[in-house]
Amino acid sequence: MSGRADSDTDPEITDPGAAAAQDTEPDAEPIGADEPDDTDEPDDTDEPDDADEPDDGAGDAAEGARRARWTAAGTGTVLALAGLAAALLRLTRSAPALVPAAYAGGAAVCAGAAVLGSRGRTRRALWLLIAGAMVMALGDQFD
């Protein structure tokens, strides 16, 4: 080792007592080996200090999944409403028939993405949102 504080440690050394024993002579006993073990006191090292607090890892994952479902469902709903409004606006004006059909088709795809997102299929909902927005953009190109 280089002796610098930011240097990597050897992965074989994981126990501080083993590191101290490695630095000393091979015949030397580890530090504290000559002290007797106290068997009268219970050993509290097996239990964590915060045993009464629940693990937040499961709660964070559930919260992230819930947020993803709400985001996918909300975004799909907004895009579907926007596509429907654009299709209705294009129907009232003089535009080729393909334009409102593309907007309506993209809105339908985004509505399907909203349904999938609310059911927890967020990855598929994302791809459908992208496809629906692309169909609407393609319809805009025909105008």
Side-chain angles (χ1 to χ4, degrees), residues 50-61:
D50 55 349
D52 56 342
E53 296 178 12
D55 185 21
D56 291 335
D60 291 341

Side-chain angles (χ1 to χ4, degrees), residues 63-143:
E63 172 113 10
R66 187 178 306 115
R67 187 177 303 132
R69 284 194 306 269
W70 278 98
T71 302
T75 305
T77 303
V78 167
L79 283 175
L81 289 175
L84 220 62
L88 290 175
L89 285 174
R90 299 296 175 162
L91 273 176
T92 59
R93 297 185 182 163
S94 63
L98 190 59
V99 175
Y103 277 114
V109 171
C110 288
V115 170
L116 282 179
S118 68
R119 293 184 180 175
R121 304 288 186 182
T122 54
R123 188 175 298 154
R124 292 180 183 155
L126 173 66
W127 285 110
L128 280 180
L129 287 173
I130 292 169
M134 287 176 62
V135 168
M136 287 189 267
L138 185 66
D140 193 41
Q141 292 298 315
F142 290 130
D143 191 16

